[in-house]
Amino acid sequence: TRWLRREHRGHGNQGPALSLEIKALACLVPEEADTDLDEVDDEMAFIRSLIKQHSLADLSPAELSRRVVKRLLEAGNYSWLHVASHGRFSANSPARDSRIELPDGELTPQDIIGLKIERHIRQARPAFIFNVCHGGRQGYSPTGLAGWANRLLSNGSGLFISPMWPAGDACALSF
């Protein structure tokens, strides 16, 4: 975890959120049968137990597709977005080519753009936990630092946690 302070032009966050109000959680986890990740069903069961234990609204989509995820992001309403999948980092193009795999495609930091998505993040300051390989890595782009952390924290996320390295299934579940 880390925090990105405002840059010299004033873009970015003032600082970390003093508190997070978690009321609704959306979990984006492919079915174990749709992936080679052996522990994703256990991770989903753990997240569902947290949802039940803390009386959270479960906004996890029944179908996990790129279209459904974009709709979820645009609708807002979530205060915690949890992702468990494969992730890839691109040092050459961290904003466009770093990816989270979905059953029917991929999600990139460029997908977290748009008035509705950015307004929700700025106002609600949700938490993002990406349990994906390399999800926390950053790289330089023509406009400065880029990657998931920079995109989400610059938009106003209250929290971003993701590994910066490859993680095996058992290690990812512990994480």
Side-chain angles (χ1 to χ4, degrees):
T1 65
R2 68 190 130 159
W3 194 257
L4 300 173
R5 62 187 178 115
R6 286 185 185 263
E7 43 112 87
H8 68 281
R9 288 177 279 164
H11 296 104
N13 272 322
Q14 295 176 33
L18 296 176
S19 65
L20 297 173
E21 190 173 340
I22 306 294
K23 293 182 178 180
L25 192 153
C27 196
L28 308 178
V29 178
E31 296 287 328
E32 196 170 306
D34 294 337
T35 183
D36 62 348
L37 298 171
D38 296 333
E39 305 291 340
V40 291
D41 287 349
D42 292 339
E43 186 164 348
M44 187 63 176
F46 172 73
I47 295 298
R48 288 222 162 100
S49 72
L50 287 177
I51 290 169
K52 185 176 181 177
Q53 178 183 354
H54 297 284
S55 303
L56 304 174
D58 187 353
L59 301 180
S60 307
E63 170 198 345
L64 185 57
S65 70
R66 185 173 155 65
R67 179 182 51 80
V68 168
V69 171
K70 286 289 286 185
R71 216 175 334 170
L72 173 79
L73 291 168
E74 289 173 355
N77 302 325
Y78 61 90
S79 47
W80 173 353
L81 186 74
H82 186 96
V83 180
S85 187
H86 285 294
R88 288 183 293 166
F89 176 74
S90 169
N92 293 330
S93 181
R96 292 189 184 275
D97 294 330
S98 294
R99 304 185 180 280
I100 292 173
E101 291 183 16
L102 298 173
D104 74 333
E106 298 169 324
L107 195 65
T108 73
Q110 290 294 107
D111 292 317
I112 312 294
I113 292 177
L115 185 60
K116 291 178 183 176
I117 296 171
E118 292 178 44
R119 183 184 309 136
H120 171 70
I121 294 172
R122 197 170 36 261
Q123 291 175 350
R125 303 208 61 197
F128 291 86
I129 299 180
F130 287 2
N131 198 359
V132 302
C133 293
H134 306 288
R137 288 185 63 186
Q138 299 253 108
Y140 287 102
S141 73
T143 59
L145 277 177
W148 288 107
N150 192 63
R151 168 71 64 204
L152 293 166
L153 292 172
S154 293
N155 282 345
S157 168
L159 173 76
F160 176 76
I161 299 174
S162 186
M164 296 176 63
W165 54 86
D169 289 348
C171 181
L173 180 60
S174 293
F175 176 78

